Amino acid sequence: MSTEDAIENIIGRFGLYQTWVLFLIAIGRVPADFQLTNVVYILPKVDYVCLDEGASNMTNYCPCKNPQYETSTIVESVVTTWHLICGSSYLASLAQSVLQIGILTGSLLYGYLSDRYGRKTTILMALTSDVVFVVASALVPDFWMFLVLRFLIGTSVGGTLICSYTLMVELSGKSFRPYLPGLTQIAYATVSIVHPIIAYYIREWRYLQLVTSVPCVFVISYNWLMLESPRWLITVGKKEEAIDVLTKIAKRNKRPTDNIASIIYAAEEHKTKKEEPKYGSYLDLFSTPKMKMYSLIIACVWFCCGNTFYGINQYIGRLQGNFYLNIFLFGVFHIPPLFFNVLVSLYIKRKIGVIGSFTMSAIALIIFIYIPSDLESISLAFAILGHIGSNMAFGQMYLFTSEVFPTVVRNSALGFASMFSRFGGFAAPFVVNIGIEWMSVAIFSGVTLVAAFFCFFLPDTKDKVLLNTIEQAEKSTDEK
């Protein structure tokens, strides 16, 4: 990996244009982030009194044809609308899993589309379709329709997260990329705090879906004014278009626009041979020895990320006390990792930061196992510490993965990695429901240590220029 970046020299490491794009994407992805945090409000565990003859008004009695739901916390949810209790309770779990399946599918689909047709086009598709599907899900009369739309929402969410992050990485100079793990997660952290406040006042799931999506339509329309990623344009051989885009960005950032074309062509001439324009695909992730090794390691690490992150979320979601206050406090603890990740990315090598975050999470969870159950505050503190560690590792892996893989397959690589993260998320409930708490926590701790171990075999990418082609990645010298 080289240390000179022609694009950064032209548009700057992070100017007014990049700030504007970051703001548009952050606002535009708000509906997607709401869908990631709304499961506790629209698909909660609901208690009821069975009014059937012979049921003696027992709580949560099965089978039950005439349930009277407890509505002091949530007035109406998907569970109560379609009576997903007793023999139909598995459908509520299915609705949760379908979103994850959709995110997995969207990560792969939009990852490929982004590498094939460009970053801007796929981001606009994902942002727009997300709002459309969320609004439709709030209006459907049948559960099967809701289930289909839940899957489609997931595809849009997956595409939004992957493609927007890749665009920001490619617009940022190498000296600014350490800030991205924090900046790109501001929207999610904000939603995690704001969502319980909105849900406290809007306790019917249909209205909640509408309120958290429709207001963003106006802002999303402004995303059409974004420009295509110049790095992608250069990679696919559209150098004239790239020069035009770079000129426009340089003007907005008040940078000199002289000799942009000569700078780009001079940078291209430094390559050892002329390379044909190429569109990446998932097969390219296994086309060379290095790509194959990186892909397999990243898959394992992201599986561990998803498994631990979503597993810990389930434990914190079972806290005693006020439902909305607990979720609000949980949202607040999404803020510290934003700052920690920026500091770690600025001053520590990439893989050391990731390994340290995984290790912190593992140690906190091991200590959690040995804390007496009556020490609730201390148990909560170490559970949150374990969550902070896994959250930090997750955020850093987005940056690390995007830097390890070249531009031609960058989005495909993130989509591939995200797929394994969803597999980890699928496995998390099974680990949680083993029935022996210490064993579940021990598994999560062990999984994080496995992820830390595999990270040792990845190259360090701190302060390195993003590579464009697989050939460049194969020839680069790994800094261990």
PDB file of all heavy atoms in Angstrom, residues 441-475:
ATOM      1  N   VAL A 441     -22.911 -16.879  28.285  1.00  0.00           N
ATOM      2  CA  VAL A 441     -21.968 -15.763  28.362  1.00  0.00           C
ATOM      3  C   VAL A 441     -20.555 -16.239  28.051  1.00  0.00           C
ATOM      4  O   VAL A 441     -19.778 -15.536  27.389  1.00  0.00           O
ATOM      5  CB  VAL A 441     -22.027 -15.092  29.747  1.00  0.00           C
ATOM      6  CG1 VAL A 441     -21.006 -13.970  29.850  1.00  0.00           C
ATOM      7  CG2 VAL A 441     -23.422 -14.546  30.019  1.00  0.00           C
ATOM      8  N   ALA A 442     -20.214 -17.440  28.509  1.00  0.00           N
ATOM      9  CA  ALA A 442     -18.885 -17.990  28.226  1.00  0.00           C
ATOM     10  C   ALA A 442     -18.677 -18.201  26.730  1.00  0.00           C
ATOM     11  O   ALA A 442     -17.582 -17.971  26.196  1.00  0.00           O
ATOM     12  CB  ALA A 442     -18.699 -19.307  28.981  1.00  0.00           C
ATOM     13  N   ILE A 443     -19.733 -18.633  26.033  1.00  0.00           N
ATOM     14  CA  ILE A 443     -19.633 -18.817  24.583  1.00  0.00           C
ATOM     15  C   ILE A 443     -19.389 -17.482  23.891  1.00  0.00           C
ATOM     16  O   ILE A 443     -18.532 -17.365  23.010  1.00  0.00           O
ATOM     17  CB  ILE A 443     -20.913 -19.490  24.038  1.00  0.00           C
ATOM     18  CG1 ILE A 443     -20.971 -20.943  24.522  1.00  0.00           C
ATOM     19  CG2 ILE A 443     -20.941 -19.427  22.514  1.00  0.00           C
ATOM     20  CD1 ILE A 443     -22.252 -21.656  24.151  1.00  0.00           C
ATOM     21  N   PHE A 444     -20.140 -16.457  24.305  1.00  0.00           N
ATOM     22  CA  PHE A 444     -19.942 -15.137  23.702  1.00  0.00           C
ATOM     23  C   PHE A 444     -18.523 -14.626  23.958  1.00  0.00           C
ATOM     24  O   PHE A 444     -17.892 -14.034  23.085  1.00  0.00           O
ATOM     25  CB  PHE A 444     -20.965 -14.144  24.250  1.00  0.00           C
ATOM     26  CG  PHE A 444     -22.363 -14.391  23.784  1.00  0.00           C
ATOM     27  CD1 PHE A 444     -23.421 -14.394  24.677  1.00  0.00           C
ATOM     28  CD2 PHE A 444     -22.628 -14.612  22.443  1.00  0.00           C
ATOM     29  CE1 PHE A 444     -24.717 -14.622  24.247  1.00  0.00           C
ATOM     30  CE2 PHE A 444     -23.925 -14.846  21.993  1.00  0.00           C
ATOM     31  CZ  PHE A 444     -24.969 -14.850  22.903  1.00  0.00           C
ATOM     32  N   SER A 445     -18.027 -14.875  25.156  1.00  0.00           N
ATOM     33  CA  SER A 445     -16.671 -14.458  25.477  1.00  0.00           C
ATOM     34  C   SER A 445     -15.649 -15.203  24.617  1.00  0.00           C
ATOM     35  O   SER A 445     -14.704 -14.614  24.089  1.00  0.00           O
ATOM     36  CB  SER A 445     -16.384 -14.705  26.963  1.00  0.00           C
ATOM     37  OG  SER A 445     -15.060 -14.353  27.291  1.00  0.00           O
ATOM     38  N   GLY A 446     -15.838 -16.511  24.474  1.00  0.00           N
ATOM     39  CA  GLY A 446     -14.932 -17.306  23.652  1.00  0.00           C
ATOM     40  C   GLY A 446     -14.954 -16.891  22.194  1.00  0.00           C
ATOM     41  O   GLY A 446     -13.914 -16.857  21.530  1.00  0.00           O
ATOM     42  N   VAL A 447     -16.149 -16.556  21.696  1.00  0.00           N
ATOM     43  CA  VAL A 447     -16.285 -16.128  20.301  1.00  0.00           C
ATOM     44  C   VAL A 447     -15.492 -14.852  20.043  1.00  0.00           C
ATOM     45  O   VAL A 447     -14.838 -14.701  19.004  1.00  0.00           O
ATOM     46  CB  VAL A 447     -17.774 -15.926  19.952  1.00  0.00           C
ATOM     47  CG1 VAL A 447     -17.934 -15.130  18.663  1.00  0.00           C
ATOM     48  CG2 VAL A 447     -18.468 -17.281  19.807  1.00  0.00           C
ATOM     49  N   THR A 448     -15.527 -13.904  20.982  1.00  0.00           N
ATOM     50  CA  THR A 448     -14.778 -12.655  20.797  1.00  0.00           C
ATOM     51  C   THR A 448     -13.267 -12.913  20.786  1.00  0.00           C
ATOM     52  O   THR A 448     -12.529 -12.260  20.052  1.00  0.00           O
ATOM     53  CB  THR A 448     -15.109 -11.645  21.904  1.00  0.00           C
ATOM     54  OG1 THR A 448     -14.810 -12.208  23.188  1.00  0.00           O
ATOM     55  CG2 THR A 448     -16.572 -11.265  21.874  1.00  0.00           C
ATOM     56  N   LEU A 449     -12.809 -13.866  21.590  1.00  0.00           N
ATOM     57  CA  LEU A 449     -11.386 -14.200  21.598  1.00  0.00           C
ATOM     58  C   LEU A 449     -10.966 -14.853  20.283  1.00  0.00           C
ATOM     59  O   LEU A 449      -9.856 -14.630  19.788  1.00  0.00           O
ATOM     60  CB  LEU A 449     -11.070 -15.126  22.775  1.00  0.00           C
ATOM     61  CG  LEU A 449     -11.166 -14.480  24.167  1.00  0.00           C
ATOM     62  CD1 LEU A 449     -10.929 -15.523  25.251  1.00  0.00           C
ATOM     63  CD2 LEU A 449     -10.165 -13.331  24.299  1.00  0.00           C
ATOM     64  N   VAL A 450     -11.847 -15.664  19.697  1.00  0.00           N
ATOM     65  CA  VAL A 450     -11.566 -16.261  18.392  1.00  0.00           C
ATOM     66  C   VAL A 450     -11.409 -15.164  17.332  1.00  0.00           C
ATOM     67  O   VAL A 450     -10.498 -15.200  16.503  1.00  0.00           O
ATOM     68  CB  VAL A 450     -12.696 -17.236  17.990  1.00  0.00           C
ATOM     69  CG1 VAL A 450     -12.548 -17.657  16.530  1.00  0.00           C
ATOM     70  CG2 VAL A 450     -12.676 -18.471  18.888  1.00  0.00           C
ATOM     71  N   ALA A 451     -12.311 -14.175  17.373  1.00  0.00           N
ATOM     72  CA  ALA A 451     -12.230 -13.063  16.421  1.00  0.00           C
ATOM     73  C   ALA A 451     -10.917 -12.304  16.585  1.00  0.00           C
ATOM     74  O   ALA A 451     -10.263 -11.946  15.592  1.00  0.00           O
ATOM     75  CB  ALA A 451     -13.417 -12.119  16.610  1.00  0.00           C
ATOM     76  N   ALA A 452     -10.529 -12.046  17.830  1.00  0.00           N
ATOM     77  CA  ALA A 452      -9.280 -11.335  18.090  1.00  0.00           C
ATOM     78  C   ALA A 452      -8.092 -12.110  17.517  1.00  0.00           C
ATOM     79  O   ALA A 452      -7.168 -11.522  16.938  1.00  0.00           O
ATOM     80  CB  ALA A 452      -9.110 -11.126  19.593  1.00  0.00           C
ATOM     81  N   PHE A 453      -8.094 -13.421  17.671  1.00  0.00           N
ATOM     82  CA  PHE A 453      -7.000 -14.251  17.168  1.00  0.00           C
ATOM     83  C   PHE A 453      -6.866 -14.142  15.651  1.00  0.00           C
ATOM     84  O   PHE A 453      -5.763 -13.958  15.114  1.00  0.00           O
ATOM     85  CB  PHE A 453      -7.228 -15.712  17.574  1.00  0.00           C
ATOM     86  CG  PHE A 453      -6.281 -16.676  16.932  1.00  0.00           C
ATOM     87  CD1 PHE A 453      -4.969 -16.783  17.370  1.00  0.00           C
ATOM     88  CD2 PHE A 453      -6.700 -17.478  15.874  1.00  0.00           C
ATOM     89  CE1 PHE A 453      -4.091 -17.674  16.761  1.00  0.00           C
ATOM     90  CE2 PHE A 453      -5.835 -18.366  15.275  1.00  0.00           C
ATOM     91  CZ  PHE A 453      -4.525 -18.460  15.720  1.00  0.00           C
ATOM     92  N   PHE A 454      -7.975 -14.229  14.923  1.00  0.00           N
ATOM     93  CA  PHE A 454      -7.914 -14.198  13.464  1.00  0.00           C
ATOM     94  C   PHE A 454      -7.473 -12.838  12.938  1.00  0.00           C
ATOM     95  O   PHE A 454      -6.901 -12.746  11.840  1.00  0.00           O
ATOM     96  CB  PHE A 454      -9.275 -14.582  12.867  1.00  0.00           C
ATOM     97  CG  PHE A 454      -9.484 -16.068  12.769  1.00  0.00           C
ATOM     98  CD1 PHE A 454     -10.358 -16.725  13.619  1.00  0.00           C
ATOM     99  CD2 PHE A 454      -8.802 -16.807  11.818  1.00  0.00           C
ATOM    100  CE1 PHE A 454     -10.545 -18.089  13.527  1.00  0.00           C
ATOM    101  CE2 PHE A 454      -8.984 -18.178  11.719  1.00  0.00           C
ATOM    102  CZ  PHE A 454      -9.853 -18.819  12.581  1.00  0.00           C
ATOM    103  N   CYS A 455      -7.739 -11.768  13.692  1.00  0.00           N
ATOM    104  CA  CYS A 455      -7.332 -10.435  13.238  1.00  0.00           C
ATOM    105  C   CYS A 455      -5.813 -10.290  13.132  1.00  0.00           C
ATOM    106  O   CYS A 455      -5.319  -9.416  12.407  1.00  0.00           O
ATOM    107  CB  CYS A 455      -7.887  -9.359  14.182  1.00  0.00           C
ATOM    108  SG  CYS A 455      -9.643  -9.055  13.976  1.00  0.00           S
ATOM    109  N   PHE A 456      -5.068 -11.129  13.830  1.00  0.00           N
ATOM    110  CA  PHE A 456      -3.612 -11.072  13.756  1.00  0.00           C
ATOM    111  C   PHE A 456      -3.102 -11.337  12.341  1.00  0.00           C
ATOM    112  O   PHE A 456      -1.997 -10.930  11.985  1.00  0.00           O
ATOM    113  CB  PHE A 456      -2.989 -12.082  14.724  1.00  0.00           C
ATOM    114  CG  PHE A 456      -2.856 -11.579  16.128  1.00  0.00           C
ATOM    115  CD1 PHE A 456      -3.689 -12.043  17.130  1.00  0.00           C
ATOM    116  CD2 PHE A 456      -1.894 -10.624  16.454  1.00  0.00           C
ATOM    117  CE1 PHE A 456      -3.580 -11.575  18.436  1.00  0.00           C
ATOM    118  CE2 PHE A 456      -1.770 -10.152  17.752  1.00  0.00           C
ATOM    119  CZ  PHE A 456      -2.610 -10.627  18.742  1.00  0.00           C
ATOM    120  N   PHE A 457      -3.889 -12.027  11.524  1.00  0.00           N
ATOM    121  CA  PHE A 457      -3.442 -12.439  10.194  1.00  0.00           C
ATOM    122  C   PHE A 457      -3.818 -11.440   9.101  1.00  0.00           C
ATOM    123  O   PHE A 457      -3.561 -11.696   7.918  1.00  0.00           O
ATOM    124  CB  PHE A 457      -4.014 -13.822   9.857  1.00  0.00           C
ATOM    125  CG  PHE A 457      -3.579 -14.893  10.816  1.00  0.00           C
ATOM    126  CD1 PHE A 457      -4.410 -15.266  11.871  1.00  0.00           C
ATOM    127  CD2 PHE A 457      -2.336 -15.500  10.694  1.00  0.00           C
ATOM    128  CE1 PHE A 457      -4.014 -16.242  12.777  1.00  0.00           C
ATOM    129  CE2 PHE A 457      -1.934 -16.475  11.592  1.00  0.00           C
ATOM    130  CZ  PHE A 457      -2.770 -16.844  12.640  1.00  0.00           C
ATOM    131  N   LEU A 458      -4.434 -10.320   9.475  1.00  0.00           N
ATOM    132  CA  LEU A 458      -4.785  -9.290   8.501  1.00  0.00           C
ATOM    133  C   LEU A 458      -3.695  -8.224   8.440  1.00  0.00           C
ATOM    134  O   LEU A 458      -3.005  -7.981   9.423  1.00  0.00           O
ATOM    135  CB  LEU A 458      -6.122  -8.640   8.879  1.00  0.00           C
ATOM    136  CG  LEU A 458      -7.367  -9.522   8.784  1.00  0.00           C
ATOM    137  CD1 LEU A 458      -8.577  -8.799   9.360  1.00  0.00           C
ATOM    138  CD2 LEU A 458      -7.632  -9.922   7.335  1.00  0.00           C
ATOM    139  N   PRO A 459      -3.536  -7.564   7.290  1.00  0.00           N
ATOM    140  CA  PRO A 459      -2.526  -6.497   7.192  1.00  0.00           C
ATOM    141  C   PRO A 459      -2.999  -5.250   7.911  1.00  0.00           C
ATOM    142  O   PRO A 459      -4.209  -4.992   8.005  1.00  0.00           O
ATOM    143  CB  PRO A 459      -2.439  -6.251   5.687  1.00  0.00           C
ATOM    144  CG  PRO A 459      -3.810  -6.568   5.187  1.00  0.00           C
ATOM    145  CD  PRO A 459      -4.269  -7.743   6.022  1.00  0.00           C
ATOM    146  N   ASP A 460      -2.073  -4.468   8.426  1.00  0.00           N
ATOM    147  CA  ASP A 460      -2.476  -3.208   9.032  1.00  0.00           C
ATOM    148  C   ASP A 460      -2.576  -2.151   7.940  1.00  0.00           C
ATOM    149  O   ASP A 460      -1.724  -2.072   7.055  1.00  0.00           O
ATOM    150  CB  ASP A 460      -1.478  -2.760  10.094  1.00  0.00           C
ATOM    151  CG  ASP A 460      -2.077  -1.701  10.996  1.00  0.00           C
ATOM    152  OD1 ASP A 460      -2.774  -2.076  11.948  1.00  0.00           O
ATOM    153  OD2 ASP A 460      -1.883  -0.508  10.706  1.00  0.00           O
ATOM    154  N   THR A 461      -3.645  -1.346   7.994  1.00  0.00           N
ATOM    155  CA  THR A 461      -3.930  -0.409   6.904  1.00  0.00           C
ATOM    156  C   THR A 461      -3.918   1.046   7.348  1.00  0.00           C
ATOM    157  O   THR A 461      -4.313   1.927   6.586  1.00  0.00           O
ATOM    158  CB  THR A 461      -5.307  -0.730   6.298  1.00  0.00           C
ATOM    159  OG1 THR A 461      -6.305  -0.684   7.338  1.00  0.00           O
ATOM    160  CG2 THR A 461      -5.316  -2.111   5.661  1.00  0.00           C
ATOM    161  N   LYS A 462      -3.495   1.314   8.567  1.00  0.00           N
ATOM    162  CA  LYS A 462      -3.511   2.696   9.064  1.00  0.00           C
ATOM    163  C   LYS A 462      -2.589   3.581   8.212  1.00  0.00           C
ATOM    164  O   LYS A 462      -1.463   3.227   7.926  1.00  0.00           O
ATOM    165  CB  LYS A 462      -3.063   2.734  10.527  1.00  0.00           C
ATOM    166  CG  LYS A 462      -3.211   4.107  11.180  1.00  0.00           C
ATOM    167  CD  LYS A 462      -2.824   4.046  12.659  1.00  0.00           C
ATOM    168  CE  LYS A 462      -3.108   5.371  13.353  1.00  0.00           C
ATOM    169  NZ  LYS A 462      -2.300   6.474  12.801  1.00  0.00           N
ATOM    170  N   ASP A 463      -3.133   4.757   7.823  1.00  0.00           N
ATOM    171  CA  ASP A 463      -2.394   5.763   7.051  1.00  0.00           C
ATOM    172  C   ASP A 463      -1.961   5.271   5.680  1.00  0.00           C
ATOM    173  O   ASP A 463      -0.999   5.774   5.111  1.00  0.00           O
ATOM    174  CB  ASP A 463      -1.154   6.246   7.821  1.00  0.00           C
ATOM    175  CG  ASP A 463      -1.519   6.947   9.119  1.00  0.00           C
ATOM    176  OD1 ASP A 463      -2.598   7.575   9.167  1.00  0.00           O
ATOM    177  OD2 ASP A 463      -0.742   6.850  10.091  1.00  0.00           O
ATOM    178  N   LYS A 464      -2.690   4.287   5.124  1.00  0.00           N
ATOM    179  CA  LYS A 464      -2.380   3.789   3.791  1.00  0.00           C
ATOM    180  C   LYS A 464      -3.438   4.266   2.799  1.00  0.00           C
ATOM    181  O   LYS A 464      -4.616   4.405   3.139  1.00  0.00           O
ATOM    182  CB  LYS A 464      -2.336   2.255   3.779  1.00  0.00           C
ATOM    183  CG  LYS A 464      -1.339   1.653   4.766  1.00  0.00           C
ATOM    184  CD  LYS A 464       0.080   2.072   4.471  1.00  0.00           C
ATOM    185  CE  LYS A 464       1.066   1.439   5.440  1.00  0.00           C
ATOM    186  NZ  LYS A 464       2.448   1.880   5.191  1.00  0.00           N
ATOM    187  N   VAL A 465      -3.021   4.511   1.578  1.00  0.00           N
ATOM    188  CA  VAL A 465      -3.946   4.914   0.525  1.00  0.00           C
ATOM    189  C   VAL A 465      -4.784   3.708   0.101  1.00  0.00           C
ATOM    190  O   VAL A 465      -4.290   2.579   0.029  1.00  0.00           O
ATOM    191  CB  VAL A 465      -3.164   5.464  -0.696  1.00  0.00           C
ATOM    192  CG1 VAL A 465      -4.113   5.769  -1.848  1.00  0.00           C
ATOM    193  CG2 VAL A 465      -2.421   6.721  -0.295  1.00  0.00           C
ATOM    194  N   LEU A 466      -6.069   3.955  -0.195  1.00  0.00           N
ATOM    195  CA  LEU A 466      -6.946   2.876  -0.637  1.00  0.00           C
ATOM    196  C   LEU A 466      -6.471   2.329  -1.979  1.00  0.00           C
ATOM    197  O   LEU A 466      -6.228   3.082  -2.921  1.00  0.00           O
ATOM    198  CB  LEU A 466      -8.376   3.385  -0.777  1.00  0.00           C
ATOM    199  CG  LEU A 466      -9.068   3.862   0.505  1.00  0.00           C
ATOM    200  CD1 LEU A 466     -10.441   4.414   0.184  1.00  0.00           C
ATOM    201  CD2 LEU A 466      -9.164   2.745   1.527  1.00  0.00           C
ATOM    202  N   LEU A 467      -6.336   1.022  -2.056  1.00  0.00           N
ATOM    203  CA  LEU A 467      -5.985   0.380  -3.313  1.00  0.00           C
ATOM    204  C   LEU A 467      -7.217   0.277  -4.200  1.00  0.00           C
ATOM    205  O   LEU A 467      -8.344   0.175  -3.711  1.00  0.00           O
ATOM    206  CB  LEU A 467      -5.408  -1.005  -3.049  1.00  0.00           C
ATOM    207  CG  LEU A 467      -4.139  -1.041  -2.173  1.00  0.00           C
ATOM    208  CD1 LEU A 467      -3.717  -2.475  -1.915  1.00  0.00           C
ATOM    209  CD2 LEU A 467      -3.009  -0.262  -2.845  1.00  0.00           C
ATOM    210  N   ASN A 468      -7.006   0.294  -5.532  1.00  0.00           N
ATOM    211  CA  ASN A 468      -8.126   0.275  -6.468  1.00  0.00           C
ATOM    212  C   ASN A 468      -8.389  -1.095  -7.072  1.00  0.00           C
ATOM    213  O   ASN A 468      -9.540  -1.470  -7.291  1.00  0.00           O
ATOM    214  CB  ASN A 468      -7.891   1.286  -7.599  1.00  0.00           C
ATOM    215  CG  ASN A 468      -8.130   2.712  -7.147  1.00  0.00           C
ATOM    216  OD1 ASN A 468      -8.887   2.952  -6.210  1.00  0.00           O
ATOM    217  ND2 ASN A 468      -7.473   3.651  -7.801  1.00  0.00           N
ATOM    218  N   THR A 469      -7.341  -1.860  -7.351  1.00  0.00           N
ATOM    219  CA  THR A 469      -7.507  -3.122  -8.068  1.00  0.00           C
ATOM    220  C   THR A 469      -6.996  -4.305  -7.248  1.00  0.00           C
ATOM    221  O   THR A 469      -6.196  -4.152  -6.319  1.00  0.00           O
ATOM    222  CB  THR A 469      -6.745  -3.088  -9.401  1.00  0.00           C
ATOM    223  OG1 THR A 469      -5.336  -3.031  -9.145  1.00  0.00           O
ATOM    224  CG2 THR A 469      -7.159  -1.873 -10.228  1.00  0.00           C
ATOM    225  N   ILE A 470      -7.449  -5.481  -7.655  1.00  0.00           N
ATOM    226  CA  ILE A 470      -7.006  -6.715  -7.002  1.00  0.00           C
ATOM    227  C   ILE A 470      -5.514  -6.932  -7.253  1.00  0.00           C
ATOM    228  O   ILE A 470      -4.794  -7.421  -6.376  1.00  0.00           O
ATOM    229  CB  ILE A 470      -7.831  -7.911  -7.522  1.00  0.00           C
ATOM    230  CG1 ILE A 470      -9.285  -7.781  -7.052  1.00  0.00           C
ATOM    231  CG2 ILE A 470      -7.230  -9.232  -7.047  1.00  0.00           C
ATOM    232  CD1 ILE A 470     -10.208  -8.832  -7.602  1.00  0.00           C
ATOM    233  N   GLU A 471      -5.050  -6.536  -8.437  1.00  0.00           N
ATOM    234  CA  GLU A 471      -3.633  -6.687  -8.762  1.00  0.00           C
ATOM    235  C   GLU A 471      -2.766  -5.875  -7.806  1.00  0.00           C
ATOM    236  O   GLU A 471      -1.715  -6.342  -7.343  1.00  0.00           O
ATOM    237  CB  GLU A 471      -3.371  -6.251 -10.204  1.00  0.00           C
ATOM    238  CG  GLU A 471      -3.937  -7.193 -11.264  1.00  0.00           C
ATOM    239  CD  GLU A 471      -5.440  -7.055 -11.422  1.00  0.00           C
ATOM    240  OE1 GLU A 471      -6.006  -6.064 -10.895  1.00  0.00           O
ATOM    241  OE2 GLU A 471      -6.052  -7.929 -12.061  1.00  0.00           O
ATOM    242  N   GLN A 472      -3.217  -4.654  -7.485  1.00  0.00           N
ATOM    243  CA  GLN A 472      -2.473  -3.827  -6.540  1.00  0.00           C
ATOM    244  C   GLN A 472      -2.463  -4.468  -5.149  1.00  0.00           C
ATOM    245  O   GLN A 472      -1.450  -4.466  -4.453  1.00  0.00           O
ATOM    246  CB  GLN A 472      -3.103  -2.429  -6.464  1.00  0.00           C
ATOM    247  CG  GLN A 472      -2.924  -1.598  -7.712  1.00  0.00           C
ATOM    248  CD  GLN A 472      -3.677  -0.281  -7.643  1.00  0.00           C
ATOM    249  OE1 GLN A 472      -4.465  -0.050  -6.728  1.00  0.00           O
ATOM    250  NE2 GLN A 472      -3.428   0.576  -8.625  1.00  0.00           N
ATOM    251  N   ALA A 473      -3.611  -5.007  -4.739  1.00  0.00           N
ATOM    252  CA  ALA A 473      -3.694  -5.643  -3.419  1.00  0.00           C
ATOM    253  C   ALA A 473      -2.790  -6.867  -3.342  1.00  0.00           C
ATOM    254  O   ALA A 473      -2.136  -7.121  -2.323  1.00  0.00           O
ATOM    255  CB  ALA A 473      -5.142  -6.030  -3.123  1.00  0.00           C
ATOM    256  N   GLU A 474      -2.723  -7.627  -4.438  1.00  0.00           N
ATOM    257  CA  GLU A 474      -1.913  -8.844  -4.447  1.00  0.00           C
ATOM    258  C   GLU A 474      -0.418  -8.520  -4.386  1.00  0.00           C
ATOM    259  O   GLU A 474       0.367  -9.258  -3.796  1.00  0.00           O
ATOM    260  CB  GLU A 474      -2.223  -9.647  -5.702  1.00  0.00           C
ATOM    261  CG  GLU A 474      -1.727 -11.083  -5.660  1.00  0.00           C
ATOM    262  CD  GLU A 474      -2.453 -11.940  -4.624  1.00  0.00           C
ATOM    263  OE1 GLU A 474      -3.564 -11.558  -4.207  1.00  0.00           O
ATOM    264  OE2 GLU A 474      -1.897 -12.968  -4.217  1.00  0.00           O
ATOM    265  N   LYS A 475      -0.023  -7.379  -4.979  1.00  0.00           N
ATOM    266  CA  LYS A 475       1.377  -7.013  -5.023  1.00  0.00           C
ATOM    267  C   LYS A 475       1.825  -6.221  -3.788  1.00  0.00           C
ATOM    268  O   LYS A 475       3.008  -6.052  -3.553  1.00  0.00           O
ATOM    269  CB  LYS A 475       1.654  -6.182  -6.269  1.00  0.00           C
ATOM    270  CG  LYS A 475       1.526  -6.958  -7.568  1.00  0.00           C
ATOM    271  CD  LYS A 475       1.730  -6.040  -8.761  1.00  0.00           C
ATOM    272  CE  LYS A 475       1.555  -6.797 -10.060  1.00  0.00           C
ATOM    273  NZ  LYS A 475       1.694  -5.907 -11.238  1.00  0.00           N
TER     274      LYS A 475
END
